[in-house]
Amino acid sequence: MNFKKRMNLFMGMWLLTGAVFAQNVCLSTPNTLMVLAAPEGGKLEYVYYGNKLSETNLQNLETVQTKHEAYPEYGMNCPTETALAVKHADGNMTLQLEVMKVTTTEEADAVKAVITLKDKVYPFFVNVCYKAWQDADIIETWTEISHQEKKPVVLNQFASAYLPIRRGDVWLSHLYGTWANEGRLSQEPLTPGMKIIKNKDGVRNSHTAHAEVMFSLDGRPQENAGNVIGAALCYSGNYKLRIETHDDEYHHFFAGINEENSTYSLKKDEVFRTPELALTYSREGLSGSSRNFHRWARLHKLAHGTTLRKILLNSWEGVYFDINQEGMDQMMADIASMGGELFVMDDGWFGDKYPRKTDNSSLGDWVVDQNKLPNGIEGLLSDAKKHGIKFGIWIEPEMANTTSELYERHPEWVIKAPERDLVLGRGGTQVVLDLANPAVQDFIFDIVDKLMTSYPEIDYIKWDANMSIMNHGSQYLTSDNQSHLYIEFHRGFEKVCQRIRAKYPDLTIQACASGGGRANYGLLPYFDEFWVSDNTDALQRVYMQWGTSYFFPAVAMASHISAAPNHQTFRTIPLKYRIDVAMSGRLGMEIQPKNMTDGEKALCKNAIAEYKTIRPIVQQGDIYRLLSPYDKQGAASLMYVAPEKDKAVFYWWKTEHFCNQHLPRIKMAGLCPNKQYKVHELNRIDNRPLNFENKSFSGAYLMANGLEIPYNHQVDYHKQNDYSSRVLYLEEVK
Ligand code: GLA
């Protein structure tokens, strides 16, 4: 046990046994602290959540803090909002939970506290669990609900967690959007009434609203100042976040599975585990809260979070369904010649009886279309080898088309309500497989298993999911358990993911779901990254990636250079700007290189080489958002700083263009004031270097003043345009 951990645990035990704080639970992370009162036979209550405190402040805490029940239950104080509401086997609708015991254990890099609550009368139990990470400022909390009543107990409401937030000028930051416009940032003050953020898609849960929020506690949100509580629900399915601003002094925040149409019948001795809610607290504003999430994600939550990602070319926007052996070979040759490391063949490669020519057939028939690819996947793998790059492949395993051999064999595997017609999705024929069914789970595991056992050199899988659960009906679940459909679908999905990861721990897997439908912390343990959006327009990406960066690190945000005019917005954006935006995430390309000029290829080749230098800073560094595109000041800017603060990358993108419009000068952040940094522009297209090229400035200067960025590029007259962007690399002069 390391010293820090021993101290944190010691503090917890001291409080558990201490005279003043008898039966308090005290959980700390490097910079934060959560205190709960847990008197045996009494109520479990929150006392404090915030920054770490000195011992004196800790001792006097209970005299100044208002306590709130930590997991409010329904029935004996009906008017209040609750986390848990049940119907006992005998029909009683009430709960009265008391603390039975507290168990504190150590896990790798974390301290875990489980507070067992029991109903005063009924054999009904709730474990309220907290896991305080010792190397990241995150406390996860969830519950385990069980009982020993004679018949099933019905769970009507089963939130993961509750947190009281002291009223003041508290502002909520959260993400919303839609297909091709995901991750939009919304910021609003919390006002009286109920704010609900929820999802009912069934399959994908982040196209529209997101299951993550931040609360700025001291007024209008600031990026690099102010106290912020962040919360992320780690769940891939339907969720509901509720914030009730009540007539008391608090905003009451609840987060968990969306219970709508999901009443759960809990059998005797079965344990219902709610998804974790990850909480963070930062005194360094929204960006500080993001850095906490990112660090935790890289260290503990995201698959291979500390591994640098390969630079790839994806075939989708380049050729769509028009896959063939020669075309794939040409794309592989092109990305290899530009310095890329991986080629991903997207949709359109499969189907035997029903070849996948467009989106109306073949999902489920995961065999190579021999007409398109006579040499099969072996042929593609040997092409990749020839070009010295890796190979990846697209699948959409949770789905079928009614025009498929799979559907012909197993119509009982699809989601369908009895007595009703199918509801069809993409292409007019898509259906969702019933992951509640173990046979379907086996089938989905086998798709990956067959690919990987037959072709172990496959390096990357793009796992797509392009349909919602439209119709409520499982042909597998019994008639009295139909309300378990959404929950069982995601349990089934997670089981499959676990099996895949147990057998293929090194595989890179992207979560795609019609773009950004699966950016959530429930899935990230099994996935290396997610596709931020089907919209690859660089200007709109500035907004979407800005929002997404609130909760997810750049290493997980797939960001591709695509064609102009853009295929979604039809906007023509210069390649330099497209590159500079894509380079702020996990860089890739999604374009037909055959259609690029030699000059464009050279620019990309140079950018890929430059990205390799800054990749560790972007993918593993600390984010500081500087100027928000949502502030509509004509530009947006952010930077990543290496943990040692010896290197940084600064991004600046113009978002509007008007003559003689003044743009703000951007102050940098996160640097070491005393270090000297030499500035070097990457991806330069200007005829002359910038005035400050190769000049050194102290971190203090850069953070107080920033640099004056020219509004336009100094290029030949015929190359001038209305876009402008800069990527500056800062390196410490030793
Ligand atoms: C979805 C994905 C795209 C692409 C297509 C293929 O829309 O988001 O990136 O893979 O499917 O059909």
Side-chain angles (χ1 to χ4, degrees):
M1 200 194 310
N2 67 31
F3 175 73
K4 236 160 120 190
K5 204 148 125 190
R6 204 160 44 220
M7 282 312 291
N8 285 332
L9 190 65
F10 166 76
M11 206 152 101
M13 305 230 294
W14 176 78
L15 287 165
L16 281 170
T17 52
V20 185
F21 280 110
Q23 295 166 307
N24 269 10
V25 179
C26 186
L27 293 148
S28 56
T29 69
N31 299 294
T32 73
L33 174 71
M34 179 180 277
V35 182
L36 294 126
E40 208 184 305
K43 288 279 172 204
L44 175 67
E45 289 174 314
Y46 279 113
V47 180
Y48 175 82
Y49 181 44
N51 221 48
K52 252 194 179 151
L53 299 174
S54 68
E55 252 174 52
T56 331
N57 286 332
L58 246 178
Q59 300 217 358
N60 296 326
L61 205 57
E62 270 185 308
T63 61
V64 291
Q65 292 291 119
T66 312
K67 290 196 242 169
H68 283 93
E69 204 178 322
Y71 195 64
E73 73 276 35
Y74 180 77
M76 301 299 281
N77 182 8
C78 298
T80 62
E81 200 61 24
T82 49
L84 179 66
V86 310
K87 184 163 103 178
H88 293 281
D90 65 1
N92 190 332
M93 300 282 287
T94 67
L95 276 170
Q96 226 176 343
L97 299 172
E98 297 173 341
V99 174
M100 208 171 111
K101 62 172 182 190
V102 178
T103 328
T104 314
T105 48
E106 256 189 86
E107 293 188 350
D109 303 316
V111 173
K112 186 174 159 192
V114 176
I115 301 105
T116 303
L117 310 179
K118 185 197 167 297
D119 188 89
K120 223 170 159 176
V121 178
Y122 288 81
F124 186 95
F125 307 88
V126 178
N127 284 341
V128 183
C129 311
Y130 295 90
K131 185 169 180 177
W133 289 94
Q134 301 303 290
D135 52 3
D137 283 315
I138 296 280
I139 298 178
E140 289 180 74
T141 171
W142 69 96
T143 53
E144 293 157 357
I145 306 166
S146 63
H147 71 88
Q148 286 160 4
E149 299 183 25
K150 290 200 176 74
K151 287 190 192 145
V153 171
V154 178
L155 307 184
N156 289 318
Q157 193 172 46
F158 34 90
S160 292
Y162 159 70
L163 190 74
I165 295 170
R166 175 69 170 83
R167 259 167 98 165
D169 190 8
V170 177
W171 282 60
L172 174 72
S173 298
H174 64 109
L175 307 180
Y176 75 101
T178 184
W179 175 80
N181 193 19
E182 293 91 335
R184 304 280 310 193
L185 176 66
S186 175
Q187 298 183 309
E188 63 214 58
L190 287 176
T191 53
M194 178 73 98
K195 170 86 185 173
I196 292 185
I197 298 173
K198 67 177 185 179
N199 174 273
K200 304 205 298 179
D201 185 276
V203 174
R204 310 159 295 183
N205 70 8
S206 57
H207 262 140
T208 50
H210 264 248
E212 306 90 28
V213 289
M214 285 188 199
F215 299 97
S216 295
L217 306 183
D218 331 289
R220 199 171 276 278
Q222 297 178 70
E223 281 296 346
N224 294 302
N227 298 311
V228 173
I229 289 176
L233 185 73
C234 307
Y235 190 55
S236 57
N238 294 354
Y239 61 81
K240 189 184 270 183
L241 312 182
R242 290 173 278 154
I243 305 148
E244 194 195 27
T245 301
H246 193 43
D247 57 357
D248 64 4
E249 293 294 333
Y250 282 78
H251 305 284
H252 303 276
F253 173 54
F254 298 84
I257 292 176
N258 187 344
E259 74 289 351
E260 290 170 36
N261 300 307
S262 287
T263 310
Y264 194 89
S265 167
L266 186 69
K267 295 196 293 274
K268 185 178 175 205
D269 289 327
E270 180 187 348
V271 178
F272 186 93
R273 192 184 193 278
T274 61
E276 305 91 22
L277 180 73
L279 293 167
T280 191
Y281 184 89
S282 170
R283 300 180 73 186
E284 296 176 18
L286 300 164
S287 282
S289 180
S290 299
R291 289 192 291 278
N292 292 349
F293 278 122
H294 295 181
R295 182 178 165 78
W296 168 72
R298 287 192 302 257
L299 290 177
H300 302 294
K301 208 63 184 177
L302 169 67
H304 312 125
T306 54
T307 307
L308 298 184
R309 307 302 195 236
K310 297 186 184 77
I311 299 161
L312 62 83
L313 171 67
N314 176 294
S315 67
W316 180 240
E317 285 195 21
V319 297
Y320 292 103
F321 294 99
D322 193 11
I323 301 272
N324 60 62
Q325 193 81 40
E326 299 71 39
M328 297 297 97
D329 185 50
Q330 164 254 313
M331 288 183 114
M332 287 191 235
D334 280 326
I335 188 61
S337 74
M338 287 186 272
E341 299 151 329
L342 168 69
F343 173 73
V344 180
M345 177 173 67
D346 209 283
D347 198 351
W349 60 270
F350 53 93
D352 179 22
K353 181 173 170 190
Y354 304 105
R356 176 88 162 168
K357 296 204 170 78
T358 179
D359 63 5
N360 65 8
S361 74
S362 331
L363 293 175
D365 301 346
W366 301 106
V367 289
V368 167
D369 177 347
Q370 292 291 340
N371 289 321
K372 288 180 178 173
L373 299 168
N375 302 334
I377 292 174
E378 287 103 320
L380 298 167
L381 285 166
S382 70
D383 284 346
K385 208 173 201 164
K386 175 178 81 190
H387 299 300
I389 58 172
K390 299 283 183 191
F391 177 79
I393 195 163
W394 179 96
I395 48 176
E396 194 181 350
E398 298 147 88
M399 306 288 162
N401 290 107
T402 47
T403 311
S404 70
E405 293 183 68
L406 176 70
Y407 183 70
E408 285 170 354
R409 274 198 315 274
H410 289 293
E412 78 287 6
W413 278 6
V414 310
I415 286 188
K416 181 188 172 301
E419 310 302 324
R420 306 280 177 208
D421 291 341
L422 286 171
V423 180
L424 302 165
R426 191 181 182 197
T429 56
Q430 188 158 336
V431 284
V432 183
L433 297 179
D434 182 1
L435 268 105
N437 185 341
V440 172
Q441 294 167 22
D442 288 345
F443 168 76
I444 295 178
F445 171 76
D446 283 347
I447 297 169
V448 175
D449 196 35
K450 275 189 193 130
L451 273 174
M452 294 310 298
T453 44
S454 315
Y455 315 107
E457 303 96 274
I458 290 179
D459 186 70
Y460 177 109
I461 282 180
K462 174 171 171 178
W463 181 304
D464 214 334
N466 291 315
M467 191 177 165
S468 318
I469 293 180
M470 300 294 294
N471 45 338
H472 195 138
S474 165
Q475 302 188 67
Y476 171 77
L477 294 171
T478 55
S479 58
D480 53 349
N481 275 341
Q482 287 293 311
S483 62
H484 293 197
L485 170 67
Y486 294 114
I487 290 170
E488 290 299 350
F489 182 94
H490 286 276
R491 282 181 178 167
F493 181 29
E494 189 163 15
K495 273 186 209 154
V496 173
C497 291
Q498 281 163 351
R499 284 169 71 185
I500 292 171
R501 276 307 180 194
K503 191 155 177 199
Y504 303 105
D506 299 331
L507 185 64
T508 304
I509 315 181
Q510 180 188 73
C512 176
S514 316
R518 275 186 168 168
N520 68 62
Y521 276 114
L523 282 187
L524 285 185
Y526 313 106
F527 290 81
D528 299 68
E529 60 175 34
F530 54 86
W531 185 218
V532 175
S533 175
D534 273 350
N535 186 343
T536 55
D537 176 278
L539 182 59
Q540 202 164 340
R541 277 279 180 143
V542 169
Y543 291 82
M544 292 189 282
Q545 294 180 185
W546 184 275
T548 308
S549 81
Y550 267 52
F551 303 98
F552 302 101
V555 69
M557 287 168 48
S559 180
H560 296 176
I561 301 165
S562 65
N566 178 268
H567 291 193
Q568 294 78 38
T569 60
F570 307 101
R571 200 186 338 251
T572 298
I573 296 182
L575 183 57
K576 153 79 176 156
Y577 193 97
R578 284 179 270 146
I579 289 173
D580 284 359
V581 172
M583 262 173 86
S584 66
R586 193 283 279 133
L587 176 67
M589 298 185 74
E590 185 147 341
I591 194 166
Q592 172 53 281
K594 206 166 69 175
N595 301 336
M596 293 166 76
T597 64
D598 288 347
E600 286 173 331
K601 280 187 185 161
L603 204 60
C604 287
K605 184 174 181 177
N606 179 60
I608 287 174
E610 307 258 52
Y611 186 77
K612 286 178 184 166
T613 335
I614 60 167
R615 175 160 48 185
I617 312 167
V618 177
Q619 297 189 3
Q620 299 295 314
D622 291 320
I623 194 168
Y624 291 82
R625 286 180 300 262
L626 306 171
L627 179 65
S628 170
Y630 295 90
D631 288 348
K632 298 278 173 221
Q633 294 197 51
S637 179
L638 58 78
M639 61 195 289
Y640 298 104
V641 181
E644 302 76 22
K645 296 197 184 284
D646 56 342
K647 293 183 185 115
V649 193
F650 169 90
Y651 293 85
W652 180 93
W653 306 285
K654 205 159 81 171
T655 52
E656 284 171 3
H657 183 74
F658 297 101
C659 265
N660 293 332
Q661 176 189 19
H662 295 286
L663 300 179
R665 183 157 158 166
I666 317 279
K667 292 171 184 158
M668 297 193 184
L671 300 170
C672 176
N674 306 327
K675 285 191 195 311
Q676 286 289 123
Y677 297 93
K678 193 166 79 185
V679 182
H680 167 56
E681 186 188 9
L682 305 181
N683 301 338
R684 188 185 122 198
I685 56 161
D686 295 40
N687 293 337
R688 282 193 312 277
L690 292 167
N691 291 342
F692 43 75
E693 173 71 24
N694 265 326
K695 303 277 183 313
S696 303
F697 304 88
S698 69
Y701 176 86
L702 293 169
M703 291 194 288
N705 305 288
L707 295 168
E708 197 63 72
I709 312 282
Y711 293 2
N712 294 91
H713 291 288
Q714 302 296 311
V715 291
D716 295 346
Y717 186 77
H718 72 279
K719 287 188 185 159
Q720 284 184 352
N721 65 74
D722 55 343
Y723 283 86
S724 177
S725 57
R726 303 283 169 178
V727 183
L728 305 179
Y729 176 50
L730 276 63
E731 196 172 11
E732 186 188 355
V733 190
K734 293 208 173 136

